[in-house]
Amino acid sequence: EAEQIRQMAFESLASITRSDILMHPDKTLSSHQEQQLMDALSKLCECLPIQYVLGESWFYKLRFDVNEAVLIPRPETEELVTAAIQRLTPLSNPTVLEIGAGSGCIPISIKKNVPVASITSIDISQEALQVATKNALAHSTEIEFVQNDFLEDSRWNTFGQYDLIISNPPYIPKAEMHTMDKHVTEHEPHLALFVANQEPFIFYEKIAQFGNDHLHPTGMIMVEVHEKYAGEVAATFAQKGYITSIQKDFFGKERMVFATLSL
């Protein structure tokens, strides 16, 4: 991990690749390069994640601006995006709703690969939406970003029907906070990470309820889940009349639940 962080810093801040280091190990850094790397090291020693130090993160082969208003995109979420792209590609003009925009990595990656898709992405955080909008502009992707508290179902009447509803919602019970790395708990937005211990599946319950009225009859819901609770999330959708399947990530962990209203 330290090697990877070092390489990310050298490439982003000093434009020095791993091959440069191997081929020219005695190269002397400029004073500007040295100062940038030392500043980064100071922040890293305060447990600031390297992505926030650099202000960027890579997801689905795309560069995204990130700051402490948004979650750092995770590699496992790329599998959710891959599944969404595969689902949408055969459709002529698919409609997509993403719940929880964050950096915009999910809707932007989908739009880049399925240009005909019409995508709406919502988030409760105005700061997150500012980051997502900036990233969408940088990647020349047209996405409708909307500030909305999804848990307030009285605000659902403005939404239409969708071929795909996709989300990586908050799903970590606050009781687990003490088991997590300080890089996460001290810097990444708790609003996007944690749910109340007494309502660990609140977002999935709301998404299932929303889908009953806003999912196209042949559409699908795709959500990322806590590896310990995939069965409970699937049951939450099944109780609302959905046919569900649990999908494993590349580590063999149950990290996604797909739900449809018909076979």
Side-chain angles (χ1 to χ4, degrees):
E1 183 181 8
E3 168 68 15
Q4 183 181 26
I5 289 172
R6 189 268 300 167
Q7 192 55 58
M8 290 170 67
F10 268 73
E11 287 191 12
S12 179
L13 299 175
S15 299
I16 297 174
T17 65
R18 184 172 181 273
S19 60
D20 290 333
I21 294 172
L22 293 174
M23 294 176 64
H24 308 286
D26 297 325
K27 179 180 179 179
T28 301
L29 298 175
S30 69
S31 58
H32 177 67
Q33 290 173 321
E34 183 176 353
Q35 186 59 54
Q36 284 192 303
L37 289 167
M38 293 305 295
D39 289 345
L41 179 60
S42 177
K43 294 175 182 177
L44 289 168
C45 288
E46 295 174 359
C47 291
L48 189 68
I50 182 63
Q51 293 87 350
Y52 291 154
V53 172
L54 303 178
E56 65 179 17
S57 183
W58 287 81
F59 181 89
Y60 226 77
K61 299 181 180 180
L62 299 172
R63 179 197 173 281
F64 290 88
D65 279 0
V66 293
N67 58 34
E68 293 186 55
V70 301
L71 286 181
I72 297 167
R74 264 57 172 188
E76 54 266 30
T77 306
E78 292 184 345
E79 296 186 71
L80 188 70
V81 169
T82 295
I85 292 169
Q86 292 172 346
R87 177 79 182 186
L88 295 170
T89 297
L91 306 182
S92 55
N93 293 289
T95 53
V96 179
L97 176 69
E98 190 227 5
I99 300 162
S103 65
C105 65
I106 291 177
I108 291 169
S109 299
I110 293 174
K111 184 70 173 179
K112 293 292 284 188
N113 288 274
V114 190
V116 296
S118 176
I119 305 178
T120 300
S121 179
I122 67 174
D123 203 295
I124 191 174
S125 168
Q126 185 61 45
E127 292 78 10
L129 291 172
Q130 290 172 356
V131 176
T133 299
K134 181 179 180 181
N135 283 323
L137 289 172
H139 290 295
S140 302
T141 48
E142 185 177 345
I143 295 167
E144 181 185 14
F145 289 108
V146 179
Q147 185 177 18
N148 190 291
D149 181 357
F150 183 74
L151 297 184
E152 291 290 338
D153 48 26
S154 61
R155 301 186 179 191
W156 293 353
N157 57 356
T158 58
F159 295 98
Q161 280 202 322
Y162 303 93
D163 295 297
L164 175 69
I165 298 171
I166 187 168
S167 183
N168 178 20
Y171 56 70
I172 303 173
K174 289 183 178 179
E176 294 187 15
M177 190 183 301
H178 73 281
T179 68
M180 300 174 66
D181 193 282
K182 289 196 299 183
H183 290 79
V184 176
T185 58
E186 293 186 2
H187 297 285
E188 296 201 62
H190 288 197
L191 191 65
L193 284 170
F194 300 107
V195 287
N197 297 325
Q198 64 272 23
E199 293 182 306
F201 309 122
I202 182 63
F203 276 92
Y204 303 110
E205 292 167 1
K206 290 291 187 177
I207 292 171
Q209 180 185 342
F210 177 88
N212 283 149
D213 295 322
H214 296 275
L215 183 67
H216 190 278
T218 59
M220 177 176 283
I221 295 174
M222 295 181 173
V223 292
E224 190 168 320
V225 301
H226 193 302
E227 63 186 85
K228 296 180 181 178
Y229 305 120
E232 288 86 341
V233 173
T236 298
F237 281 98
Q239 290 168 4
K240 294 288 186 180
Y242 292 87
I243 300 163
T244 65
S245 63
I246 296 173
Q247 306 293 320
K248 294 181 179 180
D249 66 12
F250 44 66
F251 295 115
K253 297 178 180 179
E254 295 180 336
R255 292 300 308 274
M256 293 169 283
V257 171
F258 299 168
T260 60
L261 290 169
S262 60
L263 290 174

